[in-house]
Amino acid sequence: MKLYKGSHKHLVAVDCIIFAYDIAEKEIKLLLIKRSIEPAKGKWSVAGGFVQDDESLDAAASRVLKRLTGLDHMHLSQSSTYGSLNRDPGARVISVSYSALIKIQDLSPDAAGLYHAHWRSILKLPELIFDHGTMVADALENLREQIKRKPVGFELLPEKFTLVQLQDLYEALYQRPVDKRNFRKKILAMNILEKLDEKEKETSRKGAWYYRFIRERYQVLTRNGFYFNLDVN
Amino acid sequence: MKLYKGSHKHLVAVDCIIFAYDIAEKEIKLLLIKRSIEPAKGKWSVAGGFVQDDESLDAAASRVLKRLTGLDHMHLSQSSTYGSLNRDPGARVISVSYSALIKIQDLSPDAAGLYHAHWRSILKLPELIFDHGTMVADALENLREQIKRKPVGFELLPEKFTLVQLQDLYEALYQRPVDKRNFRKKILAMNILEKLDEKEKETSRKGAWYYRFIRERYQVLTRNGFYFNLDVN
DNA sequence: CCAAAAGTGTTCGAATTACACCCATGA
DNA sequence: TCATGGGTGTAATTCGAACACTTTTGG
């Protein structure tokens, strides 16, 4: 049974916008790939590829990301779909963008070299191919909205982190300073962090206490109508 | 020059989720179509169709909506893209959903009959084909979030409306009562409504003052960092 | 002992909530 | 005149913003 005959078919791609947070540099970084095929071969792009016959969009995004970067089991979430006629000069391609937040240490140290993947600060991005600049801008705006209302910040930090690091992350995203006392008051009042018996001693003599995000406690609160709101200053 | 050869091509559809507000019934309604082709011919669906070779996704959505309902110049905004393998039993189809808010009087009175389009309350929707139920649920959730932070409510009301009607709309969306005095205080304090010299006299002896949304004033405020927030009770 | 970063409370104004009665009118 | 729906204000509380000093410790 052949249905829908006569309807035009399209090339469909997925593009993965991967953000990570660099604790040392206090910068959000974006994963970029040197494009290996024409057109625009050698130019910077996000990790993308075509959707195959026998895979869902979500599966395609995971596969493409794994192939280009080695990153596996990422929590990719669909962002937006781009379908202007001439967005890709090589052919008419419809592209579905996905984004993910990762802990930078999840990328094995040599993977970057191995896969021609590079991390670049979102503050100094190079020119990207096609409409990838727009895709990134859209995803970033979405991330900035999300982080106010969902505890997505913890996806970008290691298991153990200090309150100073968490605050630095918010400042990196908002690009403005945040009041330390108000920030701590607010996040601690949510009761979703556990203070550990261990200090981070690299960056100060005094040392800063490590904390841990308690996902289970957050989920219980959520079920009871708790509303995460870290809209600071 | 044939690039990207060997990559699989896909059927791509757009589906339009059109919401309207029925002032008299105080209900949000959804535009449904009796499907005219196999599979699932005669079943309820939202307005959809395939994307052609020479049109953008946005253009396809407008065209499809116009053809099926007569609705023209709608402000459609892209919601989400659905790409599971078996979502459409007829073939592998990737579908991009769009949604729009319209004033119910924008639909010419006989258009419904003419085009086999029907308005159904979102509270008692029939079974929809494929994953259209999910699409609608997703769009509705999005609308509920939006209406808190953007003055989208005015898209659903006629040019002139009363504060009671506006409040009824919010209650229809939230499905819970809203405090009358606090609601009025908040919306009037925003200074984006103009009281007209005219009363709505159909529903009460006293009559309720008509108001008008002043889009220009809203836009000026927005530019100055004003933040619409009608998160009530 | 001192430099450097971590940690800690209070006050003030604004915003949000809860709540009940009077008003205007047509029938 | 009365039934119906429209319109109004205030007090109590909570929330958000601003703000500066003390603590710890390795060198």
Side-chain angles (χ1 to χ4, degrees), chain B residues 12-102:
Chain B
V12 178
V14 287
D15 284 300
C16 301
I17 297 156
I18 312 298
F19 294 111
Y21 177 62
D22 184 327
I23 291 185
E25 311 245 347
K26 301 179 187 173
E27 281 181 340
I28 307 285
K29 305 230 160 160
L30 174 68
L31 185 74
L32 294 181
I33 304 274
K34 267 231 158 76
R35 189 168 154 102
S36 64
I37 58 171
E38 288 296 349
K41 185 169 174 175
K43 299 277 171 54
W44 291 110
S45 74
V46 301
F50 290 103
V51 177
Q52 295 176 351
D53 185 24
D54 58 349
E55 65 184 354
S56 67
L57 295 171
D58 296 0
S62 296
R63 175 182 56 77
V64 162
L65 184 61
K66 172 87 188 286
R67 179 168 58 79
L68 290 175
T69 68
L71 288 166
D72 209 353
H73 306 298
M74 293 291 100
H75 180 69
L76 285 156
S77 75
Q78 191 190 295
S79 302
S80 197
T81 300
Y82 300 82
S84 330
L85 285 177
N86 298 307
R87 47 174 297 282
D88 182 330
R92 200 278 160 95
V93 179
I94 291 165
S95 181
V96 182
S97 78
Y98 279 78
S99 68
L101 306 178
I102 75 165

Side-chain angles (χ1 to χ4, degrees), chain A residues 5 17 26 45 51 53 56 74 105 122-124 139 142 153 157 173 175 182 192-193 195 204 207 217 224 228:
Chain A
K5 259 179 53 177
I17 296 157
K26 302 181 187 171
S45 74
V51 177
D53 185 24
S56 67
M74 293 292 100
Q105 77 264 26
I122 55 168
L123 299 177
K124 359 177 192 168
N142 191 256
L157 288 172
L173 263 172
Q175 284 295 298
N182 293 338
I192 50 176
L193 295 187
K195 187 188 208 164
S204 78
R217 203 182 295 169
N224 301 337
F228 185 93

Side-chain angles (χ1 to χ4, degrees), chain B residues 121-160:
Chain B
S121 162
I122 55 168
L123 298 178
K124 3 179 188 161
L125 288 180
E127 176 109 357
L128 301 183
I129 62 164
F130 312 163
D131 51 0
H132 285 201
T134 308
M135 286 185 184
V136 170
D138 291 350
L140 199 49
E141 186 176 325
N142 192 255
L143 172 58
R144 290 194 170 113
E145 272 307 306
Q146 286 251 331
I147 199 163
K148 293 179 186 171
R149 326 206 176 284
K150 299 240 156 110
V152 293
F154 305 110
E155 309 295 332
L156 290 164
L157 287 172
E159 226 16 67
K160 301 184 294 187

Side-chain angles (χ1 to χ4, degrees), chain A residues 10-13 15 35-41 45 48-51 85-95 129-130 132, chain B residues 1-9:
Chain A
H10 302 264
L11 287 166
V12 177
D15 284 300
R35 188 168 155 100
S36 63
I37 58 170
E38 288 296 350
K41 184 170 176 177
S45 74
F50 290 102
V51 177
L85 286 177
N86 298 305
R87 46 174 299 281
D88 182 331
R92 201 276 161 98
V93 179
I94 291 165
S95 181
I129 61 164
F130 312 165
H132 285 201
Chain B
M1 165 167 92
K2 269 273 168 49
L3 292 158
Y4 308 142
K5 259 179 53 177
S7 296
H8 188 83
K9 289 185 155 197

